[in-house]
Amino acid sequence: MAIVKMAALVALCSLFSASASKPNIILIVADDLGYNDVGFHNPNYTHTHTPNLNALAAKGMVLTNHHVQPFCSPTRACLMTGRHVLRYGLQNTVIWPQDPWAIPANETMLAQNLKDVGYYTAYYGKWHLGFYKKEFLPMNRGYDEQYGYYLGGEDYFTHERNGGLDWHRNDTLCTNENGTYSADLLGAATVDYVMRMGATPDRPFFLYLPFQSVHSPLEALPEDLVLYPNLKGNVQTRSAMVTAMDRNVGKMLDALDKTNQMSNTIIVFTADNGAPYGDAYDTFDDPERSSTLGFDKDNKPPPADEGPNGRCGNGGGSNYPLIGWKHYVFEGGVRSAAFVYGIPGVAPGSFHHGLFHAVDWLPTLVGLAGGDTTKNLPLDGKDISQALKDGSGSPHTELPVQITACDVGLQSIVDGPQTAMIVGDMKVILGCYWRNSKNTSDAQLYNITADPSESNDLAASMPDQLNAVIARLAYWESVSVDPYAAHAKDTACGNGKPQGTPPHWDTWC
């Protein structure tokens, strides 16, 4: 009997020891944050105050060549599934509030993988991955807790969009948060979560924290606006919004310190895309509005303002020194401000210039947590932990940046050229390369390692390299599925709209 009891005790102790050895994981996503909207990239050229993010990046590794998709939903889908959006048809647009569609149920999400190996999981912030049926709500996709909103672009104070309230706790409508700025709501919830997790150190936690900041509408608190007396207009407002997010990241870091969890916590930070030039027009559910915003459909994106506010678009954000904006396939739209902190063996204060993508975080974080991805569909992401630790090159040799279905008469909110492909250092940009509309006569070719601002088009002088990249683009186009609007909408459910009292967004099918 004593031997049996001792064996049970040893097994129990081993379980607790294994749990305690797993790192806590926090994945922070900033919405519409420009490459130059933070202090850790170009401190001599940015005007935003991000002391907490700067300090965290300085203790971790800044990822200078980290790629995402050109706008909201697709990047979030890549992060959660580890698979490119061309696998399930989210390449053309975002998931609109009324759409009867969501990331397919056969896609295993990051939270589900981590929950399988003992993690307590929470998501606080923006979902934007579909919600028309209950099976697609966050708490049915691997999360033990949920707090935030399902759509994108809500009012920061009323939390309403298109006539409906959109703020939920544990997938249930939350009506008592009206009047409180969303960054502060998410910051307070995060502090509470970290403190609770600190009281149960035997169980590791995963927190997915996609802030609303700094997506339009541009709304800021007076206490943050006063920090920028020399700025004006949208640049001042947006800078204050960045600071509000940074301030709440600081509160989270304080809570981690107070609970002695900082040394056992991995933190990944990335933007979902670059800063928009003007309004982030996906807010308005009107893709035709793009034609009124002054974009040049046939050439390069509009340049940054070099006036008093400097290097910013009309929406107040800056992607300097990159060209392009949100909705564009140029680097300013798809290269994100990003860093990682807390991975054992990663040199503090270092930089990595390797080619990484949002799809890489699922296999990387699951691997660091001691899990596996055998139940997932085949991943496009790579485990980049070894590259981060030893500074070796990226495991990626190529990246299908964006392949828009641009010949089928379907909605696309990609602006300018619709296609981009990276192979090694070389990046091809094309107007359209899809099915029966594969025009390569307008191809642009850039060495984005030597020329990240895409100023020297090499297409005419390097035809062999151009053709080599187009050949890989042809492969990726051939394995791309049609956009969800063409084949996967649940038309029997109809379109969604605000419902109930008060009018709010929720499942409808």
Side-chain angles (χ1 to χ4, degrees):
M1 180 65 73
I3 294 176
V4 173
K5 287 184 177 179
M6 181 61 70
L9 180 61
V10 169
L12 185 61
C13 289
S14 297
L15 176 62
F16 281 128
S17 176
S19 298
S21 66
K22 293 181 184 294
N24 302 315
I25 298 171
I26 299 175
L27 173 57
I28 304 173
V29 179
D31 202 334
D32 287 6
L33 185 75
Y35 194 80
N36 193 44
D37 284 339
V38 291
F40 58 81
H41 269 159
N42 303 296
N44 295 327
Y45 294 97
T46 188
H47 45 252
T48 53
H49 302 312
T50 55
N52 295 295
L53 291 172
N54 295 353
L56 197 57
K59 297 174 184 176
M61 174 179 276
V62 175
L63 310 176
T64 64
N65 197 14
H66 183 270
H67 281 73
V68 290
Q69 299 307 115
F71 36 81
C72 305
S73 296
T75 293
R76 295 160 201 278
C78 289
L79 288 167
M80 291 297 102
T81 67
R83 288 163 43 87
H84 287 304
V85 293
L86 54 82
R87 302 290 190 186
Y88 37 86
L90 190 53
Q91 64 269 61
N92 274 33
T93 183
V94 298
I95 302 176
W96 301 103
Q98 68 274 12
D99 275 356
W101 192 79
I103 301 303
N106 65 341
E107 296 285 347
T108 301
M109 292 197 173
L110 173 58
Q112 293 168 302
N113 288 117
L114 293 175
K115 193 170 182 177
D116 285 347
V117 289
Y119 277 72
Y120 187 79
T121 59
Y123 133 72
Y124 294 165
K126 177 177 179 176
W127 185 236
H128 217 189
L129 297 176
F131 68 99
Y132 78 104
K133 288 183 176 180
K134 289 187 182 299
E135 65 192 82
F136 298 118
L137 295 181
M139 294 185 72
N140 290 319
R141 304 304 298 259
Y143 289 99
D144 294 303
E145 294 186 16
Q146 176 272 336
Y147 181 69
Y149 58 111
Y150 298 153
L151 310 177
E154 282 83 358
D155 185 280
Y156 279 75
F157 295 94
T158 67
H159 317 298
E160 294 179 354
R161 174 170 176 175
N162 293 17
L165 177 63
D166 179 23
W167 202 264
H168 299 78
R169 184 186 294 277
N170 294 338
D171 291 339
T172 301
L173 182 67
C174 190
T175 60
N176 59 349
E177 313 289 31
N178 185 24
T180 303
Y181 195 67
S182 72
D184 290 337
L185 287 174
L186 297 175
T190 298
V191 168
D192 174 74
Y193 179 77
V194 169
M195 298 300 289
R196 285 188 284 119
M197 295 303 98
T200 56
D202 56 295
R203 187 174 189 185
F205 71 80
F206 167 59
L207 173 62
Y208 175 41
L209 182 58
F211 278 96
Q212 180 175 0
S213 311
V214 287
H215 197 289
S216 57
L218 299 184
E219 298 173 329
L221 293 165
E223 65 193 83
D224 297 314
L225 287 167
V226 299
L227 299 175
Y228 299 95
N230 297 322
L231 300 179
K232 61 183 180 180
N234 286 346
V235 179
Q236 182 193 41
T237 303
R238 202 171 187 279
S239 298
M241 295 167 71
V242 173
T243 292
M245 176 180 65
D246 181 84
R247 172 164 43 79
N248 282 286
V249 169
K251 292 177 182 179
M252 178 196 77
L253 298 178
D254 288 344
L256 288 168
D257 279 332
K258 289 177 182 177
T259 53
N260 298 314
Q261 297 182 95
M262 197 71 195
S263 62
N264 189 41
T265 298
I266 294 170
I267 301 174
V268 176
F269 176 88
T270 182
D272 63 344
N273 44 253
Y277 178 70
D279 292 324
Y281 59 86
D282 53 281
T283 303
F284 299 92
D285 300 337
D286 182 7
E288 298 303 319
R289 193 172 187 275
S290 63
S291 65
T292 71
L293 295 177
F295 296 143
D296 184 346
K297 290 283 187 182
D298 300 316
N299 201 349
K300 287 192 173 182
D305 170 24
E306 294 292 347
N309 290 324
R311 298 183 174 87
C312 295
N314 291 343
S318 173
N319 298 317
Y320 178 84
L322 308 175
I323 190 172
W325 310 92
K326 176 183 180 180
H327 297 287
Y328 279 92
V329 300
F330 293 92
E331 291 295 281
V334 296
R335 188 183 295 210
S336 73
F339 66 80
V340 61
Y341 164 90
I343 294 180
V346 172
S350 58
F351 292 77
H352 203 299
H353 307 298
L355 179 65
F356 301 135
H357 190 270
V359 293
D360 296 327
W361 291 113
L362 186 148
T364 301
L365 296 175
V366 171
L368 290 167
D372 66 66
T373 58
T374 54
K375 75 177 190 179
N376 300 62
L377 295 173
L379 298 181
D380 296 306
K382 309 289 187 183
D383 184 340
I384 61 174
S385 58
Q386 194 59 46
L388 299 176
K389 292 175 183 178
D390 60 24
S392 58
S394 167
H396 287 287
T397 58
E398 62 187 29
L399 178 65
V401 178
Q402 174 66 30
I403 307 176
T404 308
C406 41
D407 76 336
V408 291
L410 293 174
Q411 174 190 53
S412 166
I413 62 170
V414 180
D415 207 63
Q418 300 287 296
T419 308
M421 179 79 200
I422 296 172
V423 177
D425 297 326
M426 309 306 291
K427 178 180 177 183
V428 162
I429 295 175
L430 293 168
C432 183
Y433 194 90
W434 183 261
R435 304 307 191 240
N436 298 316
S437 297
K438 297 176 180 176
N439 178 20
T440 61
S441 63
D442 61 351
Q444 304 171 45
L445 179 69
Y446 300 98
N447 183 325
I448 59 170
T449 300
D451 178 28
S453 58
E454 295 165 301
S455 59
N456 183 22
D457 185 354
L458 303 170
S461 62
M462 302 181 72
D464 291 344
Q465 288 87 338
L466 174 65
N467 290 332
V469 181
I470 291 176
R472 294 308 302 156
L473 171 63
Y475 163 75
W476 282 100
E477 186 274 338
S478 72
V479 299
S480 300
V481 304
D482 289 338
Y484 74 86
H487 67 91
K489 275 191 176 181
D490 196 341
T491 54
C493 291
N495 287 344
K497 60 183 179 181
Q499 54 189 287
T501 304
H504 63 278
W505 290 97
D506 211 333
T507 59
W508 70 88
C509 188

